[in-house]
Amino acid sequence: MTENDYLLAWGLYALAALGCLAVGFRLTSWMWRWLREPLRVVMAILLFTPTIVDPAKDLFAPAIAVGALDLLFKVGNNELRAAADLAMYGMIAFVLYGVFVAVRWPLEKRARVRREQAEAAAKRDAEEAPADEAFAADGRDRYRNPPPAPQGGNRSRVEPRL
């Protein structure tokens, strides 16, 4: 396998993995957010974790494929290395996800409080509205607003009304 074949294979795998991740995102879109997001992290870990296959040549392959093929055909001893790589990358990804959640939580809390305050202010303003709104200008003043343009554009022929 030449260097170009190796890069082509990884490019095709990356494209297929992105497609699988998109399908996984679509399948989990109906779920509760605190279940959906960790499942998406797990999918990304399983699809995008590489593991070394041949240390002499520095060749990598997807860890899930290496582990599955080594277990299925009972050849090689790479399944433990693949499992270790999956565990390591999984731990790193979940720590980063935890940091993301820890930063997002107070921001959402503040936004929710601001939204509730705005809704309470709007409700209070609606209750304090003046009683004589019936006499207020409604924006359709015939002396200030020009009549709307006809739908058909500028026609030279005027049709009589019946």
Side-chain angles (χ1 to χ4, degrees), residues 145-155 161:
N145 298 334
Q151 291 291 336
N154 293 334
R155 292 189 219 167
R161 290 192 180 196

Side-chain angles (χ1 to χ4, degrees), residues 100-157:
F100 171 72
V101 168
V103 168
R104 181 179 63 185
W105 202 346
L107 295 175
E108 286 180 344
K109 200 174 200 180
R110 269 192 238 135
R112 185 173 47 245
V113 168
R114 256 188 266 125
R115 188 174 34 244
E116 288 170 357
Q117 288 174 348
E119 289 173 359
K123 187 176 180 182
R124 188 176 54 244
D125 291 344
E127 290 172 355
E128 295 174 359
D132 51 320
E133 282 187 7
F135 299 110
D138 62 354
R140 293 181 295 183
D141 190 1
R142 68 179 188 183
Y143 295 112
R144 273 192 275 162
N145 298 334
Q151 291 291 336
N154 293 334
R155 292 189 219 167
S156 60
R157 180 175 171 187

Side-chain angles (χ1 to χ4, degrees), residues 46-118:
L46 290 176
L47 287 171
F48 294 112
T49 299
T51 190
I52 195 158
V53 178
D54 189 7
K57 295 182 182 178
D58 283 337
L59 294 178
F60 289 87
I64 193 74
V66 168
L69 290 174
D70 280 357
L71 283 175
L72 182 66
F73 295 122
K74 295 179 178 60
V75 294
N77 56 355
N78 291 331
E79 64 267 357
L80 291 177
R81 184 179 296 133
D85 285 343
L86 280 170
M88 180 185 65
Y89 284 110
M91 182 180 63
I92 292 169
F94 274 105
V95 165
L96 290 175
Y97 175 68
V99 168
F100 171 72
V101 168
V103 168
R104 181 179 63 185
W105 202 346
L107 295 175
E108 286 180 344
K109 200 174 200 180
R110 269 192 238 135
R112 185 173 47 245
V113 168
R114 256 188 266 125
R115 188 174 34 244
E116 288 170 357
Q117 288 174 348

